[in-house]
Amino acid sequence: MNDIWGSSKSDQAAMPAIHGVTMPRWGLSMIEGRVADWLVPVGGAVTKGQDVVDIETEKITNVHESPAAGILRRQILNKGDVAPVGALLAVVADPAVSDAEIDAFVSGYVLPAADSADEGTSGPTPKQITASGVLWNYLDIGKADGPVVVLVHGFGGDLNNWMFTWPALEGAARIIAVDLPGHGASGKRIDIRGLDELARKLLTLLDALAIQNAHFVGHSLGGAIVGLAALARPGLATSLTLIGSAGLGEEIDDDYLKGFIAAERRKDLQPVVAKLFADQSLVSRDLVEGLLRFKRLDGVTAALSTIRMATVDQGKQRVSLLPDLAGLHIPVRVIWGKLDRIVPATHAGGLPSSVEVHLFDDAGHMVHMERAKDVNAILAKAIAG
């Protein structure tokens, strides 16, 4: 993850061992964040990639890492302070760097302009395309000539569910994160009988984008869809990563699906969304309000109801990837939070021996958000492999 969004007017060549920890951008709409807690005190030693601060956004809280090894020499903001994306949060430097050099770095730091093209501080912008009559909203960012990674979210979500994922991967890969039909800013009219039809629609999008091979990553409903797509088009998927995935067992919390569809007020939706996380304090008021705004869009209720009927029959999942999963001659990885209350993590126990399984004790259905750093490391390894 590239955490250095800004720069200092100070002579960087003269101070090579000074590094700024800056406010990250997570998601398309993030413009500021709040320091929820410092995890390392001033004077504490840190390694590159070590968690140093909890950042709270309007949607969710996540840890933020040090961009380099050294000593946390200065905390610029206090717990509870709010700052814009790119603001300087802290300074990491070698012990040999003087306080005067730290002062010069801090005083010379310039918040990057909102329209800066160099570091993308204005945020990535989704694109739209129509493929086989379906309007798709998608994000296309990262290394244009790198390996392609396709990210597909779960039921009721959108491409922002990967807000902690694409910043960690975009330096090494081209990231395609989609809004499924009926979700986000994609078209809301959907007429399907089974999830295989959604998988075929995804394939038409990839054809329209001239994607010839890609690492498929799917969460929940999205896992079943990318799994079906990989099976339908052998040779297209380079690897398959399924996160809290549907299609690997019969059990599913259909009450969650029905409750999500039916909820019209915050007090009704809050306890439903809370099922997604092991740490229910992560469900912020803004997160719930954003979901309610999405659900009030024309066609959303009908689309979600159609997808639910394509997913569940009499409380059981209608799709199973298991009979054919072992026949995929590509690396397959499964990631699960053991506290998943939507799709049980016990489904990871019945997989072919060729499937690589990663289980996390303290995470729920949104394991890729609750344990973002660990899940991103698994994904980075899959891409590199």
Side-chain angles (χ1 to χ4, degrees), residues 314-338:
Q314 297 182 358
K316 301 293 185 181
Q317 294 190 52
R318 295 182 59 186
V319 170
S320 178
L321 303 174
L322 293 177
D324 303 305
L325 203 58
L328 280 174
H329 301 296
I330 57 174
V332 179
R333 295 169 175 84
V334 166
I335 303 172
W336 234 301
K338 288 186 179 180

Side-chain angles (χ1 to χ4, degrees), residues 150-377:
V150 175
L151 304 174
V152 182
H153 63 79
F155 183 87
D158 61 21
L159 56 83
N160 276 298
N161 287 173
W162 304 102
M163 61 190 292
F164 300 146
T165 306
W166 70 63
L169 303 180
E170 62 179 334
R174 177 187 176 190
I175 309 298
I176 307 290
V178 306
D179 283 343
L180 286 170
H183 294 75
S186 288
K188 301 302 184 290
R189 295 184 60 184
I190 182 170
D191 181 16
I192 62 169
R193 294 181 180 274
L195 294 186
D196 58 323
E197 296 178 57
L198 269 181
R200 288 197 294 270
K201 292 180 186 298
L202 176 64
L203 291 173
T204 64
L205 169 66
L206 299 183
D207 288 341
L209 297 177
I211 304 298
Q212 297 181 346
N213 52 71
H215 298 275
F216 282 3
V217 182
H219 171 245
S220 194
L221 168 71
I225 291 171
V226 296
L228 289 168
L231 291 168
R233 188 80 64 82
L236 177 61
T238 307
S239 70
L240 179 65
T241 303
L242 307 175
I243 303 174
S245 183
L248 300 178
E250 288 189 344
E251 294 83 7
I252 189 171
D253 186 354
D254 192 27
D255 288 338
Y256 166 78
L257 303 179
K258 291 186 288 187
F260 187 93
I261 295 170
E264 297 180 351
R265 296 177 296 176
R266 185 173 63 85
K267 72 172 187 177
D268 299 321
L269 187 58
Q270 176 90 22
V272 174
V273 177
K275 288 185 174 183
L276 295 172
F277 298 91
D279 181 0
Q280 297 184 16
S281 67
L282 295 176
V283 183
S284 68
R285 184 186 183 95
D286 286 334
L287 173 61
V288 177
E289 292 294 341
L291 289 170
L292 285 172
R293 287 193 295 272
F294 156 68
K295 291 180 78 279
R296 290 168 184 150
L297 296 174
D298 287 344
V300 166
T301 298
L304 292 179
S305 297
T306 297
I307 293 172
R308 175 188 161 267
M309 288 187 290
T311 305
V312 180
D313 181 28
Q314 297 182 358
K316 301 293 185 181
Q317 294 190 52
R318 295 182 59 186
V319 170
S320 178
L321 303 174
L322 293 177
D324 303 305
L325 203 58
L328 280 174
H329 301 296
I330 57 174
V332 179
R333 295 169 175 84
V334 166
I335 303 172
W336 234 301
K338 288 186 179 180
L339 303 181
D340 194 327
R341 293 195 286 166
I342 310 303
V343 184
T346 52
H347 289 181
L351 300 173
S353 59
S354 59
V355 176
E356 183 179 304
V357 176
H358 301 268
L359 300 174
F360 294 96
D361 292 332
D362 55 351
H365 193 58
M366 305 298 285
V367 60
H368 59 302
M369 302 187 83
E370 292 188 276
R371 295 293 297 270
K373 180 179 178 181
D374 298 300
V375 172
N376 292 341

Side-chain angles (χ1 to χ4, degrees), residues 89-108:
L89 303 178
V91 177
V92 173
D94 289 344
V97 176
S98 69
D99 287 341
E101 290 173 312
I102 300 293
D103 291 339
F105 182 90
V106 173
S107 63

Side-chain angles (χ1 to χ4, degrees), residues 77-157:
L77 299 183
N78 297 317
K79 180 178 177 179
D81 287 348
V82 176
V85 168
L88 187 64
L89 303 178
V91 177
V92 173
D94 289 344
V97 176
S98 69
D99 287 341
E101 290 173 312
I102 300 293
D103 291 339
F105 182 90
V106 173
S107 63
Y109 182 84
V110 177
L111 183 70
D115 59 354
S116 170
D118 293 337
E119 294 290 350
T121 54
S122 60
T125 302
K127 303 176 181 179
Q128 292 192 334
I129 189 174
T130 298
S132 296
V134 177
L135 175 66
W136 288 85
N137 188 65
Y138 68 101
L139 194 63
D140 187 346
I141 59 173
K143 189 176 179 181
D145 60 348
V148 179
V149 179
V150 175
L151 304 174
V152 182
H153 63 79
F155 183 87

